[in-house]
Amino acid sequence: MKRSFRSLLFLGLAVSVLTVTAFADMGPKPQLTVKVVNPPVEPYYLDILSEENYEDDTNPFDGLEWSYSDEEIASLDQDLLKALRAAVPEGWHACTAEGSTGAPMWGDLYPNEEGLHIFGYMGVPDTYRILMVTKSGESWISEPYVRPGLQSSVKVNWTEKEASAPPAGMSYGAQFLSTLLPTLILEGGLFVLMGLHESKRNILIFLAANLITQVCLFLVLGVTILQRGYGYAYYMRFFPMELAILVSETWVYRRFFREESRSWSTLYGIAANLLSAVAGWFLAEPVWRFIVSIS
């Protein structure tokens, strides 16, 4: 009996670990998109650099084997690849041309059909530099940059030999407005339909309550979605956060709305928050993708 119990316990633990591992691997992964404007007229390779020492790392991942098939690796320009590796400054390493540390990463040394170099998966460094080397031997390396979110982009102007990344504040501001504005529109529309807008006091309470709760929502969910995407971590926080907002706003409306019965104010608080919560659930992914596209 004891042995059977231990077996069931072990099985339960194993299933739990596998479930957590599966959830951890779900959802978006880190990604950095590099767009080159005014690119070189000759062939070139572009890679991102990380500060970690690849040769001494205990868990290195070969960047070429992870990113390309054997046939694609064989077709790479070996002289250009060698020149790129030789241009890597001391204290840095090329994540694709040499490899990533601690976690695997794939990357595009040469641009895709859209002219983009995309570096993705778990090994994308938070702090990085961009290195470009041409067939004729000309090279350029950027200053260090820090990725502002889970997925972001940077633009390189080869002619000007400069890189520029959208300011992090733009992404965070867009994420905050993406939840605030739909909430004001949906809950505000119901606010008017239920006749609660006839009192100026009610309007001020409505605006103040939503501003405060949306700031809290952004700090808990908005920052999470920018840094980790809309996956498991986001949805684990979504339900308790929305429930807390529903309870707090309903109490405020019930307690402070004037010229309305408590039952009417309570009904509005529950209905309005359920409406905005459903909208937030379905808008999370498309809004996040839009913000990524401008980040």
Side-chain angles (χ1 to χ4, degrees):
M1 187 71 176
K2 291 182 178 179
R3 186 172 299 176
S4 299
F5 176 76
R6 277 196 289 261
S7 299
L8 288 173
L9 180 61
F10 176 78
L11 179 62
L13 289 173
V15 171
S16 299
V17 170
L18 291 174
T19 302
V20 171
T21 303
F23 271 122
D25 196 51
M26 290 174 62
K29 300 296 183 291
Q31 179 174 297
L32 175 67
T33 301
V34 182
K35 181 177 183 179
V36 179
V37 297
N38 302 318
V41 294
E42 58 181 323
Y44 74 92
Y45 282 167
L46 179 151
D47 205 352
I48 59 173
L49 310 182
S50 177
E51 288 184 283
E52 292 84 359
N53 191 331
Y54 177 73
E55 294 180 353
D56 297 337
D57 193 87
T58 58
N59 191 23
F61 292 86
D62 188 297
L64 294 182
E65 289 187 0
W66 182 262
S67 302
Y68 302 103
S69 66
D70 293 339
E71 293 76 13
E72 289 172 327
I73 293 176
S75 67
L76 291 174
D77 188 321
Q78 295 301 314
D79 291 335
L80 189 51
L81 193 60
K82 183 178 180 180
L84 187 146
R85 289 168 175 160
V88 176
E90 185 178 355
W92 295 79
H93 74 266
C95 293
T96 306
E98 294 176 330
S100 56
T101 61
M105 188 203 82
W106 47 262
D108 297 324
L109 292 173
Y110 46 85
N112 61 21
E113 295 179 354
E114 299 177 348
L116 304 176
H117 300 261
I118 300 176
F119 303 90
Y121 210 58
M122 303 305 295
V124 179
D126 293 329
T127 300
Y128 66 93
R129 300 175 77 174
I130 300 171
L131 174 63
M132 290 181 64
V133 177
T134 67
K135 182 67 175 177
S136 64
E138 187 177 3
S139 65
W140 169 81
I141 185 171
S142 73
E143 295 297 319
Y145 285 91
V146 177
R147 289 191 299 116
L150 183 75
Q151 296 190 1
S152 58
S153 64
V154 61
K155 182 183 294 183
V156 172
N157 189 321
W158 171 253
T159 302
E160 301 294 332
K161 300 296 189 296
E162 63 180 15
S164 59
M170 183 173 71
S171 301
Y172 286 92
Q175 179 64 45
F176 175 67
L177 291 177
S178 71
T179 57
L180 175 64
L181 295 180
T183 296
L184 291 179
I185 293 172
L186 292 173
E187 296 191 16
L190 187 60
F191 182 79
V192 173
L193 288 175
M194 295 182 67
L196 298 169
H197 65 293
E198 297 176 0
S199 168
K200 291 184 178 180
R201 175 188 172 93
N202 288 358
I203 295 175
L204 292 176
I205 292 173
F206 165 78
L207 293 175
N210 276 282
L211 181 60
I212 293 172
T213 54
Q214 287 302 307
V215 168
C216 295
L217 186 70
F218 168 73
L219 293 176
V220 175
L221 295 182
V223 174
T224 296
I225 199 171
L226 284 172
Q227 295 180 347
R228 303 184 185 181
Y230 61 90
Y232 179 67
Y234 173 80
Y235 290 116
M236 281 295 290
R237 292 171 171 82
F238 181 87
F239 290 109
M241 192 64 195
E242 287 290 350
L243 179 60
I245 290 176
L246 184 151
V247 172
S248 60
E249 284 193 0
T250 300
W251 180 85
V252 169
Y253 298 150
R254 178 184 175 88
R255 175 70 175 78
F256 295 105
F257 271 178
R258 279 186 176 176
E259 301 172 1
E260 301 295 339
S261 67
R262 289 191 172 185
S263 59
W264 192 244
S265 299
T266 300
L267 177 62
Y268 167 74
I270 295 174
N273 278 281
L274 287 177
L275 180 64
S276 61
V278 171
W281 175 271
F282 288 104
L283 287 175
E285 180 181 352
V287 165
W288 178 77
R289 292 193 180 280
F290 168 73
I291 293 173
V292 166
S293 69
I294 64 173
S295 299

